[in-house]
Amino acid sequence: IGDFYTGNQLLTFKNLLTNSEYFETVDVEVARSSPGDDLLMPVSVTLEPRKQDKYSAGIGYGTDTGARGSLEWKRRYINRDGHQFSAKAEWSEIRRSVTSLYSIPHGQTVDNFFALKAGYKDEHTDITESETFWVGISKHHSRTLFDFKLSEVIGIEYRDEKYAIGSDTGHAKLLMPNINWSYVKADNRIYTLRGYKIELGVRGALNNFGSNASFLQSRLNAKFIRQLFRKGRIIARGEFGYSTIALLEGEFNDLPPSIRFFAGGDRSVRGYDYQTLAPKNFEGQVIGGKNLLVGSLEYEHKILEKWSLAVFYDVGNAFNDFTETLKHGTGVGVRWLSPVGLIRIDVATALSEEGTPLRLHITIGPDL
């Protein structure tokens, strides 16, 4: 009571209620004042709660993972303070996982909350085998920096990972503080004509402080999409990763696969198998690297309402020394804007391999 009325504030208030996931319908009405009413404008809010439980299932396919599926249960509200709980099971030809999340809202927007997370993952690829359990707590909130509204996540995670990679086996126990910033701006995140997404994350662990290995790692991801003329799109993406180990008196061989960098695959350097681009041991087995550098440039041209053709060029590698050679790949693809998202079918050639072999890549998902 007593705040100045503006249409933008009223719309913001309604959007906050609508986006909170708690209400099925939101009706906000303002009674216009008349002379003699002391310029008061009463606001009437009518809310209808959503069903308490939400169930969802999904299926998909990617050349890296093979066929995959998921089941999720979410309790939208547990108590009058708006606490939420969700549990999700995912499986594919190379990976099985179960995760749970308990969230506690704080502040006035849906992107401000505390999260308690726990999960289990069992992954078997041609390169690595790992069995991981993790538990963590994090604080999610918004931060404005140079007029940009960033999503910031500050947390700490404990990870227990048994693994085999190359001819080595290990058991990593890591207590990792972490911080992550992300910024997304797009006209449509499913099929974007103008937009971009930037993410920066930093994490680390210190031996004898809840961990049996030491490292400090940063990772930067960026993707930009712009419409070109009436039927074209330019899509550029890049990824950079850097690990500091020696300065913290750590050993690279003590790091599990989930901390090491790999390149190659559907969402990396196309034309190469999943996670096959990285340093190798003396036996010629891929063991991952301390650093990562990947870039891609793609042009997509619409030929029908929901169909497009694409041509692309990818470059990158995972390595321990930035002087090592980057791998190159190029190819063509078909895009279909289906009811379940954008389906991408690419045929790429590995330009840096003898005989320039071809590889098929299939992915499903939104642009950003």
Side-chain angles (χ1 to χ4, degrees):
I1 297 176
D3 291 339
F4 286 101
Y5 167 81
T6 68
N8 286 337
Q9 283 184 322
L10 190 70
L11 181 60
T12 299
F13 173 64
K14 182 177 181 179
N15 288 337
L16 288 174
L17 293 173
T18 302
N19 296 331
S20 67
E21 291 194 72
Y22 299 125
F23 309 110
E24 187 70 31
T25 58
V26 176
D27 187 19
V28 179
E29 294 183 351
V30 177
R32 301 292 179 178
S33 62
S34 58
D37 288 342
D38 296 327
L39 300 180
L40 293 179
M41 301 182 69
V43 178
S44 174
V45 181
T46 304
L47 304 173
E48 180 182 338
R50 284 186 169 182
K51 293 182 179 180
Q52 190 173 27
D53 295 308
K54 174 186 177 183
Y55 303 93
S56 59
I59 59 173
Y61 181 85
T63 319
D64 293 344
T65 62
R68 59 179 183 263
S70 65
L71 292 173
E72 183 176 13
W73 165 57
K74 184 172 187 177
R75 175 146 287 195
R76 291 189 173 105
Y77 44 90
I78 296 175
N79 52 33
R80 62 182 300 169
D81 295 320
H83 293 196
Q84 297 181 333
F85 176 80
S86 65
K88 186 174 186 179
E90 297 179 283
W91 63 93
S92 69
E93 296 179 23
I94 66 169
R95 186 183 303 118
R96 294 176 298 166
S97 67
V98 178
T99 57
S100 61
L101 169 66
Y102 189 94
S103 62
I104 305 171
H106 72 92
Q108 298 181 348
T109 59
V110 294
D111 53 359
N112 286 261
F113 60 94
F114 293 97
L116 304 173
K117 301 176 69 174
Y120 169 82
K121 181 174 71 172
D122 183 19
E123 184 173 71
H124 296 267
T125 72
D126 294 337
I127 308 300
T128 67
E129 295 182 6
S130 66
E131 186 178 16
T132 309
F133 169 79
W134 74 91
V135 61
I137 183 171
S138 57
K139 181 177 184 290
H140 300 240
H141 56 272
S142 299
R143 178 182 299 278
T144 301
L145 184 66
F146 303 114
D147 294 328
F148 292 97
K149 185 180 179 182
L150 307 178
S151 295
E152 182 177 85
V153 180
I154 301 173
I156 187 167
E157 175 188 304
Y158 177 76
R159 179 177 302 186
D160 185 298
E161 183 171 352
K162 299 177 181 179
Y163 63 91
I165 182 169
S167 57
D168 296 331
T169 61
H171 188 178
K173 299 179 180 181
L174 302 174
L175 182 65
M176 299 183 293
N178 56 80
I179 185 168
N180 182 274
W181 297 277
S182 62
Y183 179 76
V184 181
K185 185 176 182 180
D187 54 359
N188 186 324
R189 296 186 65 171
I190 303 299
Y191 185 81
T192 307
L193 294 179
R194 184 177 181 87
Y196 53 92
K197 179 180 182 180
I198 303 174
E199 290 183 293
L200 173 63
V202 181
R203 62 182 177 178
L206 194 60
N207 192 19
N208 296 324
F209 286 85
S211 306
N212 60 4
S214 296
F215 77 97
L216 179 64
Q217 186 177 88
S218 58
R219 189 166 191 159
L220 175 66
N221 293 279
K223 189 173 185 179
F224 299 84
I225 303 176
R226 289 291 183 272
Q227 185 176 16
L228 185 64
F229 306 115
R230 191 169 63 90
K231 295 186 177 182
R233 294 197 306 168
I234 292 290
I235 302 171
R237 58 177 170 86
E239 188 172 6
F240 174 77
Y242 179 77
S243 303
T244 298
I245 300 172
L247 294 179
L248 300 176
E249 299 182 352
E251 295 290 338
F252 175 76
N253 291 337
D254 294 332
L255 299 182
S258 63
I259 304 298
R260 305 184 190 191
F261 288 120
F262 301 86
D266 300 341
R267 302 180 185 276
S268 182
V269 184
R270 286 165 287 187
Y272 301 84
D273 289 345
Y274 180 56
Q275 292 189 344
T276 56
L277 298 183
K280 300 179 180 179
N281 60 16
F282 291 111
E283 300 174 358
Q285 299 167 320
V286 175
I287 59 172
K290 295 188 294 184
N291 308 310
L292 177 71
L293 184 62
V294 172
S296 174
L297 186 62
E298 180 174 320
Y299 174 72
E300 180 183 300
H301 190 85
K302 184 176 292 188
I303 56 174
L304 296 172
E305 182 180 359
K306 295 184 180 296
W307 291 86
S308 303
L309 298 178
V311 59
F312 57 85
Y313 187 89
D314 298 343
V315 60
N317 206 348
F319 41 80
N320 294 322
D321 189 332
F322 282 101
T323 62
E324 295 182 27
T325 304
L326 297 177
K327 302 293 185 178
H328 302 259
T330 187
V332 295
V334 178
R335 308 287 181 263
W336 176 42
L337 185 57
S338 75
V340 297
L342 191 63
I343 297 178
R344 307 170 184 85
I345 302 175
D346 294 322
V347 177
T349 180
L351 296 176
S352 303
E353 298 297 313
E354 184 177 355
T356 58
L358 295 176
R359 179 169 171 80
L360 177 68
H361 298 273
I362 301 175
T363 56
I364 303 173
D367 282 325
L368 296 176

